[in-house]
Amino acid sequence: MANANDLTALAVQLGMRYYEEQNLLFGRLDGYECAVRAQPEKKMMMIHLSAKSPSSEDSSMELLLEEIRKEYPAVTAAVYENFTASLRLSTTAQEDARQLAASLLGRIAAFAKERQYLPCCGGCGKTKDVRRFLLDGDARMLCPACRAKAEADLTDQWQNKKFPRHSVFKGFIVVLLVLLIGATAWVGVYTSGHSATLVGVVMTVLCFWGYQYMAGRMKKGSIIGILLGLLVTVFLCHNLCVAFELVVAIGQQQEISITGALLFIPTFLKDPTNREVYFLQLGLSVLAVALASAPMLWMVHYSWRHKERLESLEEPAA
């Protein structure tokens, strides 16, 4: 079984670079970009060489790989796909995996050189402006267009894993329940003689998290809907709290219901002092919700703009 010392020796032998974290060798052999990756947990080693035939009808590389597979029992798979010749070696076979890998890479590179194969991108076969990248732990030769496509695929995978798509309807129901429970808690806390600002903060966070959990990645429409729902809920809760205070104050002189107190609020606000206190308290409540929304909106923005980057392996090729 190949170990770190074997791979280091192989890197020195072939003049390639060894990336210890990935158990990966990457470098150039006879002008072609080659990679060797050991996978100890699977007891195998992967060999890759990127090269493009000058003729689209040339199948000689496939024939060579099939010949190699039949010749060496340790070679369990041999394919030529996406302009990349790939071999899979079993590291449990009797052959020395390191020496076999070096021998087979040399044989494939010499064959490609003899047939005038060109170093190229492993995605589209482009022969210019191709560079080395690490993609999902494997070495790849990519041109700018294939690199951008690979990064977009990585980003989509990240977003789908981070925000699985569920039901928008379920997300709407969760937000509605949070707003109803939050409004009840808001009025209850306020009428018990305490500030309900913290309730607004918790309600805001739960709305965003609950929607993402039930509906998946948020869109602009869902964000606007949640923010409008929060503002309407805060406004209604604030007015209910003011109405409660009016019931307590006016109830000492005459009987008044909550509905009557709500209808009396416009008259109550004609007094400048009452108006100033009303809008000050409402502004503080809206501010609390806005401050709680800010980090939630930043996380949503990050999910929209997040890009998974390929790790460059430095040297430009071809």
Side-chain angles (χ1 to χ4, degrees):
M1 182 180 296
N3 55 36
N5 291 333
D6 291 333
L7 293 175
T8 301
L10 181 59
V12 173
Q13 179 180 346
L14 297 176
M16 299 168 69
R17 182 173 175 180
Y18 175 46
Y19 298 86
E20 185 174 1
E21 290 185 4
Q22 291 82 21
N23 281 324
L24 172 71
L25 275 68
F26 206 173
R28 193 173 299 172
L29 183 64
D30 287 344
Y32 299 99
E33 294 298 328
C34 305
V36 179
R37 186 186 183 200
Q39 295 178 282
E41 70 283 358
K42 298 181 179 179
K43 298 181 180 180
M44 69 181 190
M45 181 183 290
M46 297 298 299
I47 298 175
H48 305 287
L49 183 146
S50 298
K52 177 183 180 181
S53 171
S55 171
S56 60
E57 299 178 356
D58 185 7
S59 61
S60 56
M61 182 64 78
E62 291 94 325
L63 296 176
L64 172 67
L65 296 179
E66 182 61 23
E67 180 183 326
I68 289 174
R69 190 187 64 80
K70 293 178 179 179
E71 186 176 345
Y72 295 93
V75 178
T76 58
V79 296
Y80 181 65
E81 292 180 342
N82 297 327
F83 309 101
T84 302
S86 301
L87 298 176
R88 184 173 66 202
L89 276 62
S90 170
T91 55
T92 59
Q94 294 181 351
E95 291 92 340
D96 184 334
R98 177 171 66 86
Q99 291 298 335
L100 183 58
S103 174
L104 293 178
L105 266 180
R107 180 173 171 179
I108 296 172
F111 177 85
K113 190 171 184 179
E114 178 186 350
R115 296 294 181 120
Q116 298 182 339
Y117 275 62
L118 303 172
C120 66
C121 168
C124 65
K126 183 180 179 181
T127 58
K128 294 183 179 180
D129 197 18
V130 181
R131 296 176 181 271
R132 303 170 182 170
F133 293 95
L134 193 63
L135 172 61
D136 287 340
D138 278 332
R140 292 288 184 269
M141 293 299 301
L142 299 172
C143 66
C146 289
R147 173 192 173 180
K149 183 177 182 300
E151 287 183 339
D153 290 341
L154 283 176
T155 299
D156 287 342
Q157 292 173 17
W158 177 87
Q159 290 174 340
N160 290 335
K161 183 178 180 180
K162 189 76 174 177
F163 305 102
R165 294 178 182 177
H166 298 303
S167 168
V168 174
F169 177 74
K170 290 181 180 178
F172 170 77
I173 294 298
V174 167
V175 171
L176 184 61
L177 288 175
V178 170
L179 292 177
L180 290 174
I181 295 172
T184 304
W186 185 302
V187 175
V189 170
Y190 186 88
T191 54
S192 65
H194 299 86
S195 174
T197 303
L198 185 60
V199 176
V201 172
V202 174
M203 184 170 59
T204 302
V205 174
L206 289 179
C207 280
F208 279 91
W209 280 357
Y211 185 90
Q212 286 186 325
Y213 180 78
M214 297 304 298
R217 188 162 172 247
M218 301 185 74
K219 297 182 178 180
K220 290 183 179 179
S222 54
I223 292 174
I224 294 173
I226 290 175
L227 292 177
L228 288 176
L230 286 167
L231 291 176
V232 169
T233 302
V234 169
F235 179 76
L236 291 176
C237 288
H238 180 66
N239 279 281
L240 284 172
C241 294
V242 172
F244 173 78
E245 290 183 337
L246 290 175
V247 168
V248 173
I250 300 175
Q252 298 175 357
Q253 302 174 1
Q254 64 184 51
E255 185 177 347
I256 185 173
S257 64
I258 288 290
T259 303
L262 286 171
L263 296 175
F264 182 71
I265 288 178
T267 304
F268 173 76
L269 292 180
K270 290 181 179 179
D271 183 273
T273 303
N274 295 338
R275 188 165 57 246
E276 181 179 348
V277 173
Y278 174 91
F279 285 109
L280 176 61
Q281 292 178 343
L282 178 61
L284 290 174
S285 299
V286 172
L287 179 62
V289 170
L291 291 176
S293 299
M296 300 293 103
L297 292 174
W298 182 87
M299 286 194 297
V300 173
H301 176 78
Y302 177 78
S303 73
W304 288 349
R305 302 298 179 184
H306 179 83
K307 299 277 185 187
E308 285 286 344
R309 295 288 181 182
L310 300 184
E311 183 180 342
S312 174
L313 297 182
E314 304 172 344
E315 304 173 36

